[in-house]
Amino acid sequence: MGITARAVLAGGGNVVGIIPEALMTAEIAQAGLTEMHVVTTLHERKALMHLRADAILALPGSIGTLDELFESITWRELGIHDKPVWLLGANDYWAPLLFLLQHIADQGFAPPDLARLAENLPDLAALADMLPQNC
């Protein structure tokens, strides 16, 4: 996240950070952000992230990324939001996840179109095509 934030700032963009208070000491909060919101819990963080977001973009990451991604997909399935959920990663990084979503649907545990809740973007050019012109 830090590398992405620094690149956006270097390019003249705005970066909003949302971090739980407990992680302020366990991790180093990125300095120099356009806005920094310190919240009490991870749940509060995810709620504020969703409130502020126009879309959800998942880059390759660890279990925390998957936690946030699954919550976004779940909220979209439940109709809590209808924001696009985009997956961006080189070399078909997200293919196993999309396969799992389809497998879950094929086994009858979710609607047949479950995998449509997240869209795999093959590269940065595909992401740029999805963004409004004023970004």
Side-chain angles (χ1 to χ4, degrees), residues 40-62:
T40 306
T41 67
L42 281 170
H43 295 292
E44 192 178 344
R45 175 181 188 265
K46 290 187 280 187
L48 184 55
M49 285 172 34
H50 276 88
L51 179 67
R52 297 289 307 264
D54 294 321
I56 290 82
L57 174 64
L59 302 174
S62 189

Side-chain angles (χ1 to χ4, degrees), residues 86-131:
W86 298 323
L87 309 172
L88 180 63
N91 302 316
D92 286 327
Y93 180 84
W94 295 105
L97 173 67
L98 294 170
F99 179 84
L100 176 61
L101 294 176
Q102 189 58 54
H103 175 72
I104 291 168
D106 291 346
Q107 295 299 307
F109 292 104
D113 62 347
L114 179 67
R116 71 148 179 85
L117 297 174
E119 184 175 354
N120 191 40
L121 303 177
D123 52 37
L124 288 172
L127 174 61
D129 289 343
M130 302 302 278
L131 298 175

Side-chain angles (χ1 to χ4, degrees), residues 7-27:
V8 169
L9 291 168
N14 296 318
V15 177
V16 177
I18 305 171
I19 188 168
E21 193 172 27
L23 294 182
M24 288 290 289
T25 55
E27 297 180 3

Side-chain angles (χ1 to χ4, degrees), residues 11-84:
N14 296 318
V15 177
V16 177
I18 305 171
I19 188 168
E21 193 172 27
L23 294 182
M24 288 290 289
T25 55
E27 297 180 3
I28 299 173
Q30 179 68 45
L33 301 183
T34 310
E35 294 179 42
M36 175 60 84
H37 299 272
V38 180
V39 296
T40 306
T41 67
L42 281 170
H43 295 292
E44 192 178 344
R45 175 181 188 265
K46 290 187 280 187
L48 184 55
M49 285 172 34
H50 276 88
L51 179 67
R52 297 289 307 264
D54 294 321
I56 290 82
L57 174 64
L59 302 174
S62 189
I63 199 73
T65 300
L66 293 176
D67 171 56
E68 293 168 354
L69 175 60
F70 274 109
E71 188 156 313
S72 295
I73 292 171
T74 300
W75 287 6
R76 190 164 186 215
E77 181 184 23
L78 295 174
I80 294 171
H81 76 80
D82 193 29
K83 299 173 183 184

